[in-house]
Amino acid sequence: MSSDQPIPSMETDLQEQEQIRRQKLAELQRAGRDPFEQVTWPVSHHSSEIISQFEALEGQTVQIAGRLMSKRGMGKVSFCDLADRTGRIQLFTKIDKLGESAYAEWQKLDLGDLVGIEGEVFRTQRGEISVKTARYELLAKALRPLPEKYHGLKDKDTRYRQRYLDLIVNPDVRETFIRRSRIISAIRQVLDRRDFIEVETPILNAIPGGAAARPFITHHNALDVDLYLRIAPELYLKRLIVGGFERVYEIGRQFRNEGLSIKHNPEFTLLELYQAYTDYQGMMTLTEDLLSAAALAVGESLEVEYQGQAINLKPPFRRLSMNQAILEYAGIDFSMISDAQSARQAALAAGLDDLEPKLSRDEIMNACFEAFCEEKLIQPTFIYDYPLELSPLTKKKPGQPQLTERFELFIGGREFANAYSELNDPIDQRERFAMQAAKRAAGDEEANLTDEDFCQALEYGMPPTGGLGVGIDRVVMLLTDSASIRDVLLFPTMKPLQ
């Protein structure tokens, strides 16, 4: 090759492949065999069924459909692998079975093309269960080539942006999302058996409430008002408890205008539920039941492995108050500390020296818990009795009004659930909202806004209620051994390409 002759690049090769595929499509269309015209193909079986039921199906004619993933043989006999939603199966195609013309067209098919196959189930001389092609139909032409066989699609950014391609070439990814569906279904079954009603609440909110988070803002043109994407469905669901439903839940998207990480995505899926006439202790038992049911829906044991750590989800889970946890892991007893200055000194002595200057005693306590305790909570652990300032929607603990009846569940060093004995005193609720308003006026953009209609709802009377929120994405991460939240979201939020 002369020095001035250009070396073909991978991009040039791909462009040539795409051009050849488009030429093949044009030839089919000129011949009146446009694969994109409406064509139906009745599917009698899927690949996994044929393999698992081979003894019953051997010698029978089946109709299958899927994507061509490999081709072998260029003479009078060829082999292909066809992938459908349940797996792969080999196709055996002979010229004398199809006829010369149909076989010639078969040989022109490309990897990625979608085909319908009718043929006999048999086992080859090498023992592989296969379908002997008797008739086929090209159902859709792939105009772009799939990733190269031996390297596949491994770049994570490309996988997340082009999830459809990820699902085609990485079967284990598809299995992750099948498991996600089973997990959510198992959770619904537990709640439905307990007479919970599944409901839907507004995503567009006039006031973002139910959590401490920065919201997304949008504008409604007809009403000429700014609205917020919900950060939690809590206040609407508790309105339904006031209305007499007693047991309600919602599994839906929440939106928080915050950073991205392996644990956070700006939109995520949350299970939130409320049950009248119980408290946060009842929510602990329900949480255990939900997680164990989810684990058994995708596995045979309550013992799972997550990122090299063995996790046992068998109830009952360990229970520690927040103060007990800090005392155990940091040696600080906050029951003996009543002011911010003493709390700061204790935190500094324990090695926490990056505290913001205006933090309160309760905020410093929470900072100590996050710094010294969270990552050590590997086995499922309920951390309960949170400080009042951190829980504006939670009932005070009887006899200890500086604490609230709240817990969070930690597994593998991460938070999975948050639950309350719900505050149902409308006077106390207004006072809590006033405290939050003061924090917002001081610059805290995540502090709760006052929801006047919710306060009015409480004034009509809400029964004692337990509430629970469970991060569905994190549960799926745990039960599929996925390191990043992006691995369990079909379409994670990505920065647009320039």
Side-chain angles (χ1 to χ4, degrees), residues 47 92 142 270 415 425 465 493:
S47 58
F92 175 82
L270 181 72
E415 176 201 343
D425 180 343
T465 298
T493 302

Side-chain angles (χ1 to χ4, degrees), residues 233-428:
E234 176 171 348
L235 302 187
Y236 283 102
L237 291 173
K238 288 199 282 194
R239 285 172 169 91
L240 299 180
I241 296 294
V242 171
F245 270 107
E246 295 190 4
R247 299 186 182 201
V248 295
Y249 76 94
E250 183 171 10
I251 298 176
R253 287 298 225 201
Q254 318 305 320
F255 307 86
R256 299 183 184 179
N257 197 355
E258 299 168 343
L260 289 82
S261 73
I262 62 170
K263 297 186 292 183
H264 299 94
N265 193 69
E267 56 176 308
F268 59 97
T269 302
L270 181 72
L271 160 69
E272 192 147 333
L273 64 87
Y274 293 87
Q275 179 179 340
Y277 310 113
T278 189
D279 61 5
Y280 75 145
Q281 297 287 348
M283 293 297 101
M284 288 186 187
T285 301
L286 180 55
T287 303
E288 291 170 338
D289 291 346
L290 290 170
L291 286 184
S292 58
L296 293 176
V298 294
E300 298 179 353
S301 171
L302 294 179
E303 294 185 5
V304 302
E305 183 172 311
Y306 182 71
Q307 302 297 292
Q309 297 174 320
I311 307 289
N312 190 338
L313 295 174
K314 183 179 180 180
F317 299 163
R318 189 186 187 202
R319 290 159 165 76
L320 282 176
S321 72
M322 177 179 274
N323 189 60
Q324 288 171 333
I326 297 172
L327 183 59
E328 178 176 332
Y329 294 111
I332 305 173
D333 186 354
F334 272 87
S335 68
M336 307 299 293
I337 298 174
S338 59
D339 62 274
Q341 183 176 354
S342 299
R344 183 176 297 275
Q345 291 173 348
L348 288 171
L352 187 59
D353 56 5
D354 59 347
L355 296 170
E356 295 181 9
K358 295 183 180 181
L359 293 183
S360 66
R361 179 260 186 199
D362 288 356
E363 290 170 332
I364 294 172
M365 181 179 182
N366 187 59
C368 287
F369 173 76
E370 291 178 347
F372 299 121
C373 306
E374 280 194 13
E375 66 180 13
K376 296 181 175 66
L377 301 174
I378 304 303
Q379 298 306 316
T381 305
F382 290 119
I383 299 296
Y384 63 91
D385 288 359
Y386 277 61
L388 177 65
E389 186 177 344
L390 305 179
S391 310
L393 300 169
T394 313
K395 185 171 289 190
K396 294 176 183 176
K397 189 175 180 69
Q400 296 178 274
Q402 76 279 10
L403 299 177
T404 59
E405 291 194 336
R406 172 189 176 189
F407 75 75
E408 289 183 310
L409 172 64
F410 290 86
I411 306 172
R414 296 177 179 177
E415 176 201 343
F416 278 72
N418 187 20
Y420 306 157
S421 294
E422 299 298 332
L423 178 60
N424 62 343
D425 180 343
I427 298 173
D428 190 358

